[in-house]
Amino acid sequence: MVTAQTLPAHRRPLLLRQAALGGFEDPGPRSLPAPDPVMRWGRPVLLPMSSVMRAVTTEPVISLTYDDGPNPDQTPALLDVLAERRARATFFVLTDRAEEHPEIVRRALAEGHEVELHGIDHARLTDVSGREAFRRIRLARRRLEGITGRPVRYYRPTYGAIGATAFVGVRALGLQTVIWSAWARDWSEAPAQEVADRVVGALHPGAVVLLHDTTDDAQALRTGPAPTFSRADVTRRVLDGMRAGGYTSVPVGELLRGRTAVRSVTVQRPRIPGRG
């Protein structure tokens, strides 16, 4: 198996696409692929347009991450479960919602979770120009920092979609873009145990897991009825499965501390109305 520790620094994991590590629900461990010469020679150009997708480690430690909140009907109960199980996570919040429910944001921080940026709202930034996308990210960060009183370090684009210009701008702001290496596909209706099983089956050391603490968004990804399951219930079942496998969850920043990040290059061309 290829590991980051066996590679010189200039060849450490930088992937051309997530498929190199398998699908987000594939079961079992995720071995690192052999170094790609394209990524090696193109590294100076590609690195500023890459996203963290997981950490390299053999330890059973992961990061549960939650998008689209805070939601007053779902997030507090989810926080109760995390506190009960002494698990910590990262919440990628929408600034509009964070300003509506600052008490939830502050509770998450007080209980040891990270609160990071998902955007002002859930608009897809590849539908606007790179300049406008950058403006929105900068504004969203400033507003979120006004609530949390601490610097924002990580950014997750809505739908995981971001154009090249905005990507470079995000790095200029000092932000790291974070996507994921496993997910629950929790934007569609299914039994809570089935949703949790998707996560548990896809767990691997160093995973960044995509979940949601609200059902309000991801309309474009839904293939059926909106979910009715409790986000807290799903998280409880995920944590049960994690415990059986010896896994623990920590915030993204802690997962990456002292570990090599596997990065993915998945820049999308902006889809600007009126253009092809």
Side-chain angles (χ1 to χ4, degrees):
M1 178 186 300
V2 179
T3 67
Q5 288 83 355
T6 66
L7 302 175
H10 68 281
R11 298 182 72 189
R12 288 182 180 169
L14 181 59
L15 309 178
L16 192 57
R17 49 188 176 274
Q18 294 100 322
L21 287 181
F24 299 134
E25 295 174 57
D26 286 354
R30 312 291 175 90
S31 299
L32 294 174
D36 186 327
V38 172
M39 304 305 280
R40 177 182 180 184
W41 299 114
R43 189 179 186 89
V45 174
L46 295 170
L47 189 60
M49 295 186 290
S50 66
S51 298
V52 172
M53 64 182 299
R54 58 169 282 193
V56 177
T57 182
T58 58
E59 300 174 73
V61 59
I62 67 164
S63 185
L64 297 177
T65 68
Y66 295 88
D67 286 9
D68 298 354
N71 181 301
D73 299 322
Q74 299 272 358
T75 311
L78 194 159
L79 288 169
D80 289 343
V81 171
L82 292 172
E84 173 190 320
R85 302 298 180 87
R86 298 184 179 179
R88 291 176 297 131
T90 296
F91 290 83
F92 288 97
V93 303
L94 300 173
T95 302
D96 280 352
R97 292 179 179 171
E99 289 177 338
E100 291 172 359
H101 307 288
E103 73 287 351
I104 300 177
V105 172
R106 293 176 185 133
R107 176 187 168 185
L109 290 170
E111 295 181 0
H113 306 292
E114 283 178 338
V115 175
E116 303 293 344
L117 182 62
H118 197 34
I120 292 178
D121 52 29
H122 212 269
R124 187 186 292 268
L125 293 188
T126 48
D127 288 340
V128 300
S129 69
R131 182 181 299 235
E132 173 61 14
F134 172 69
R135 186 194 70 80
R136 290 174 63 85
I137 295 165
R138 182 174 56 188
L139 175 60
R141 182 185 71 165
R142 184 168 69 243
R143 288 167 56 184
L144 181 57
E145 289 178 344
I147 299 168
T148 65
R150 61 184 70 186
V152 171
R153 297 181 295 166
Y154 301 112
Y155 167 64
R156 173 172 287 163
T158 52
Y159 305 99
I162 185 170
T165 302
F167 224 136
V168 174
V170 166
R171 293 298 292 267
L173 289 171
L175 299 174
Q176 289 250 39
T177 305
V178 177
I179 51 170
W180 53 86
S181 61
W183 65 13
R185 208 170 74 243
D186 57 351
W187 49 82
S188 296
E189 174 67 339
Q193 190 61 54
E194 180 180 324
V195 177
D197 286 346
R198 292 173 190 156
V199 173
V200 175
L203 289 179
H204 51 281
V208 175
V209 180
L210 171 64
L211 293 154
H212 296 80
D213 57 331
T214 178
T215 60
D216 296 343
D217 288 314
Q219 289 284 354
L221 299 177
R222 287 184 186 150
T223 57
T228 59
F229 52 76
S230 159
R231 303 286 159 159
D233 187 25
V234 167
T235 292
R236 183 178 292 106
R237 294 167 189 265
V238 167
L239 291 171
D240 286 342
M242 287 173 52
R243 181 172 55 188
Y247 282 95
T248 58
S249 174
V250 298
V252 168
E254 188 169 325
L255 181 70
L256 296 177
R257 191 177 305 138
R259 298 185 175 101
T260 298
V262 177
R263 308 183 70 90
S264 172
V265 179
T266 53
V267 172
Q268 300 185 31
R269 185 177 66 181
R271 300 187 308 167
I272 302 174
R275 299 186 185 179

